Amino acid sequence: MRKVFTICFLFFAGLSVYAQNVNPGFDSVFRYNELSLIEITMSESDKQALIFPDDPQANIYYPITIRFKNSLMDETRTNVGIRIRGNTSRNAYKKSFKIDFKEFGGPKFKKHKKFNLKAQNNDPSMLREFLSLYMYRMYKVPAARAHHAEVYINGEYMGIYVNIEQIDDEFVDRRYKNEDGNLYKCHYGATLQNDGQIFWEDLYELKTNEEANDRSILENMVILLNSYEGEELRTNLEPVFDVHNFLRQMAVEALIGHWDGYSYLNNNYYLYEEPISGKVVFIPYDVDNTYGIDWVDRDWGTRNVTDWASHSKVLPLNHRLLAIDDYFEDYCRHMVLLSQTYFTREHLDPLMESLQSMISDAVSKDNYFPYSYTDFLNTLTTAYGGHVEYGIKPYIDTRLSTSGSQLTGYEPFDTTKSGNTASIEVPFSAPIKLFPNPVKQGYFFAITEIYDADIAVIDQVGRQVPVSYFEQAPGEYRLIFDQQPLPGWYLLKVGNTVEKFIVQ
C-alpha cells in the first residue's frame, strides 16, 4: 500500500525522554516475515542416530553441512554440529535440534554461534512462542528473536520449525555492548532464595566465565533480595538488580499466561550480570507454553493477574517486590498499558493471521507435525483439547476481559514518571536499520519493529521533506523522495525512533 504522509513533526521534541529498547532489530537471518530454508546433509548413519537416539538425553553432536536460504542469502557451511535439544521434547516423534556452527571448528554464521530449531510439539499453531517473544521484545524486555524455517535432512522434509536466537555471549553483546559479565541459565527450582542454591551448577548453569566461576555479584544480589523489605529493599536492590525490567517482564508473563517461567514454576530464565550498569538483568526464554496452553490443570486465561505467582513456593522476586506498593502499582499499570497497545486483538490479529498464512503450505506437507492440518487451520479460534485450553484469539479475549476487571482502578503506566520507577512510552521506540547509507539515489529502505507507523524525513533545519513510502511487509519500508533532495544529512523518524542518514 502506498502512503503519502502530511504529518508535522516537532523537531527533536522530547526525544531524550524515551526509554531505549535494548533489543536489536531483525537481521539478515532472523527475518520474521518470510519462510527460510535450511538443508542439512550428514551421513545416513548419523541421521538415524540423531533421530532415533539410544539415549535421548545425551548431547552428542554429529557433523553436518548446512545450507541456509532466504531472500537475502543462499549460503552453505561445513564442519557444523547438530544434536537434539530440549527436555521432555527429546522423546517426541518430531525432534528439536541445536545447530552449533563452531562445534567442529567452523566460524560463526552471520555473527551467530548457534541456532535452536524448535518443533513446537505443544503448539498446534506454531505461533505461540513467536508471539510471546514478540510481546517481550515490543515491551523492551530482552528476549530472543525468532523466525520460521522449513528443514530438510538428506533431502527428507523434516517439517516446519521455529528458529530461536541463542542466548549466549553474542546475545548479551548485541543488547548491552559487552559480553564480560556472567550469564546464568536458570533451571527448574531456581527460586533465588538465599539458601546457597546459586552455587548449584545444575540450577544456575554458568554460560560465560566458567573457569573463574566467580558468583559473588549474584550472591550479593540474592542476599540483598532476601534480607530487606519495603523501602530498605528498594534502596538496596535497585543498584544491583534491574527491578523495572523485571516488572515489565512479569506484566507480559501474566498476560500471555507464561506459567512455565519464574513466577509459577521458577524455571526457564537467564540472568546476566551487566557490567556497565552493574545490575543483574532478567531474561525470559522457552516461552512456548503460553496463550492458553496448560499442563498443570490451571485456567491461565482467568487467573488473577494481581495474584499471578505460585502460592506454594517462596519466590522472592515476586513476593518481596510486589509487597512494595509502588512496585505493585507499576506492575498493574504496565498490564493496563499493554492491554491498550500491544496485547490487543487489533494489534495481534493481523500479525498472527499473516504468519499463519505464510507457514500454511509448509505445515500441510509436514509428516512429522503432531497435529492434523485442520487443527492447525483452526487453532487461532479453537481449543485443540487436552493441553490446549484456548484458541489464541479466545485466550486474548478472555485474558483482556478478566484482567480488565482485576485491574479496575489502575491507569495505564505513566509515561512521564521518573525517579524510582521505569519510564515506558507509547508508541515504543525500536532500532531502525537504514540502507543504503549514504543514499545516492532517490530512494532507500528502512527495517524496524514498529509496524504501521507514522514516518517523517527531516532536513538539517527541521523542515519536513516530502517523501512517499511503501510498507512492503510489517516493519519494512521503501521510501522515495518526491523531489531530488539536496546533499547533506537528514533524519528519518519512524514512530518515536530517529535515525540519521546522509544523502550524496
Side-chain angles (χ1 to χ4, degrees):
M1 178 178 63
R2 187 175 188 270
K3 300 181 182 179
V4 180
F5 60 86
T6 57
I7 62 171
C8 294
F9 171 55
L10 298 177
F11 186 63
F12 276 107
L15 288 181
S16 62
V17 305
Y18 287 101
Q20 183 179 0
N21 190 345
V22 298
N23 291 299
F26 289 92
D27 64 7
S28 60
V29 172
F30 288 94
R31 295 177 60 76
Y32 76 96
N33 59 346
E34 64 178 274
L35 190 59
S36 299
L37 171 68
I38 296 176
E39 293 181 339
I40 294 166
T41 304
M42 60 195 305
S43 76
E44 192 60 32
S45 60
D46 284 350
K47 177 188 174 183
Q48 294 303 310
L50 175 71
I51 304 299
F52 306 105
D54 292 333
D55 179 7
Q57 300 304 314
N59 291 328
I60 300 174
Y61 277 99
Y62 300 95
I64 63 171
T65 295
I66 183 171
R67 177 193 181 198
F68 184 92
K69 180 182 179 181
N70 63 20
S71 64
L72 296 183
M73 74 181 84
D74 185 353
E75 299 193 19
T76 299
R77 294 286 190 274
T78 58
N79 299 320
V80 178
I82 188 172
R83 66 168 174 85
I84 60 173
R85 69 168 305 282
N87 295 312
T88 56
S89 65
R90 289 174 178 247
N91 294 308
Y93 178 62
K94 185 176 182 179
K95 298 292 191 290
S96 295
F97 304 112
K98 176 85 73 176
I99 305 293
D100 190 332
F101 291 97
K102 295 178 66 65
E103 176 67 21
F104 295 109
K108 291 180 284 189
F109 185 80
K110 306 296 182 181
K111 300 183 179 180
H112 297 283
K113 291 181 179 178
K114 298 177 181 179
F115 287 170
N116 293 283
L117 302 179
K118 298 189 66 174
Q120 305 291 333
N121 287 305
N122 288 348
D123 179 14
S125 77
M126 296 291 296
L127 299 178
R128 284 176 167 87
E129 184 155 24
F130 179 95
L131 293 173
S132 298
L133 291 171
Y134 166 85
M135 193 64 57
Y136 277 124
R137 288 168 54 77
M138 293 303 286
Y139 212 60
K140 301 185 180 180
V141 177
R145 293 172 287 188
H147 73 92
H148 289 84
E150 293 184 285
V151 177
Y152 290 80
I153 299 182
N154 292 353
E156 180 188 3
Y157 182 53
M158 306 305 295
I160 177 77
Y161 282 77
V162 179
N163 183 19
I164 308 291
E165 183 180 11
Q166 177 75 14
I167 300 179
D168 57 10
D169 54 344
E170 298 288 342
F171 176 97
V172 295
D173 187 50
R174 283 188 284 268
R175 286 154 179 82
Y176 298 103
K177 311 306 179 187
N178 71 77
E179 55 184 45
D180 299 329
N182 284 357
L183 177 67
Y184 300 90
K185 183 178 182 180
C186 303
H187 299 275
Y188 176 71
T191 63
L192 293 172
Q193 296 179 63
N194 185 24
D195 55 6
Q197 63 178 254
I198 62 163
F199 296 100
W200 304 346
E201 181 68 16
D202 58 338
L203 287 188
Y204 300 84
E205 182 182 357
L206 191 56
K207 291 294 189 178
T208 59
N209 307 314
E210 296 97 320
E211 186 173 345
N213 196 20
D214 180 1
R215 304 187 177 217
S216 57
I217 293 176
L218 180 60
E219 180 185 23
N220 178 58
M221 188 274 281
V222 169
I223 290 173
L224 295 175
L225 173 63
N226 289 274
S227 298
Y228 295 99
E229 297 178 354
E231 287 303 311
E232 286 187 313
L233 177 60
R234 183 205 301 273
T235 300
N236 284 277
L237 189 63
E238 283 206 6
V240 300
F241 179 69
D242 193 340
V243 171
H244 302 295
N245 168 69
F246 182 73
L247 293 176
R248 295 195 302 273
Q249 185 281 143
M250 189 162 48
V252 175
E253 178 187 58
L255 288 179
I256 66 176
H258 177 39
W259 53 269
D260 200 14
Y262 175 82
S263 300
Y264 195 81
L265 281 190
N266 45 278
N267 193 25
N268 287 334
Y269 66 98
Y270 282 76
L271 296 172
Y272 181 56
E273 298 170 359
E274 203 277 288
I276 295 177
S277 69
K279 297 182 179 183
V280 176
V281 179
F282 187 100
I283 304 170
Y285 89 106
D286 216 3
V287 290
D288 54 335
N289 287 315
T290 50
Y291 288 92
I293 288 182
D294 170 59
W295 290 100
V296 292
D297 195 25
R298 297 289 186 275
D299 186 337
W300 304 106
T302 61
R303 185 177 177 87
N304 194 335
V305 294
T306 67
D307 189 21
W308 163 255
S310 173
H311 301 157
S312 61
K313 299 177 182 178
V314 177
L315 298 167
L317 278 180
N318 293 90
H319 300 146
R320 287 178 172 266
L321 292 183
L322 294 187
I324 299 174
D325 290 342
D326 285 350
Y327 287 164
F328 182 79
E329 180 181 348
D330 286 354
Y331 161 68
C332 292
R333 295 171 75 189
H334 280 310
M335 284 187 286
V336 175
L337 181 56
L338 274 165
S339 299
Q340 296 178 0
T341 54
Y342 294 112
F343 190 75
T344 65
R345 288 282 303 280
E346 291 77 13
H347 184 82
L348 289 174
D349 277 10
L351 176 60
M352 69 177 88
E353 288 167 4
S354 66
L355 289 171
Q356 185 185 57
S357 176
M358 179 184 74
I359 67 175
S360 179
D361 287 344
V363 172
S364 70
K365 62 182 182 180
D366 183 354
N367 293 327
Y368 287 91
F369 189 62
Y371 307 93
S372 73
Y373 183 55
T374 300
D375 294 333
F376 164 77
L377 293 176
N378 293 334
T379 189
L380 295 186
T381 57
T382 306
Y384 170 72
H387 68 286
V388 184
E389 302 290 346
Y390 291 89
I392 298 179
K393 292 180 180 181
Y395 172 82
I396 296 171
D397 291 339
T398 301
R399 195 23 134 190
L400 287 172
S401 174
T402 58
S403 65
S405 63
Q406 294 156 5
L407 295 167
T408 299
Y410 290 97
E411 297 296 325
F413 195 91
D414 186 351
T415 61
T416 64
K417 201 171 182 180
S418 61
N420 286 328
T421 57
S423 62
I424 291 290
E425 296 75 33
V426 177
F428 290 83
S429 61
I432 300 173
K433 181 179 180 182
L434 189 154
F435 60 93
N437 190 7
V439 176
K440 298 182 180 180
Q441 305 295 329
Y443 62 89
F444 60 99
F445 301 88
I447 300 176
T448 179
E449 291 183 16
I450 303 175
Y451 313 135
D452 297 320
D454 290 327
I455 292 179
V457 173
I458 310 299
D459 68 12
Q460 299 175 36
V461 294
R463 296 173 301 194
Q464 185 170 314
V465 179
V467 177
S468 302
Y469 65 95
F470 303 83
E471 191 171 17
Q472 302 178 127
E476 295 194 8
Y477 301 92
R478 184 174 188 264
L479 297 99
I480 303 173
F481 287 98
D482 290 356
Q483 297 178 347
Q484 182 62 34
L486 295 173
W489 63 260
Y490 293 79
L491 296 174
L492 170 66
K493 180 176 182 285
V494 182
N496 287 298
T497 298
V498 175
E499 185 72 24
K500 183 177 179 179
F501 67 97
I502 305 295
V503 171
Q504 290 185 346

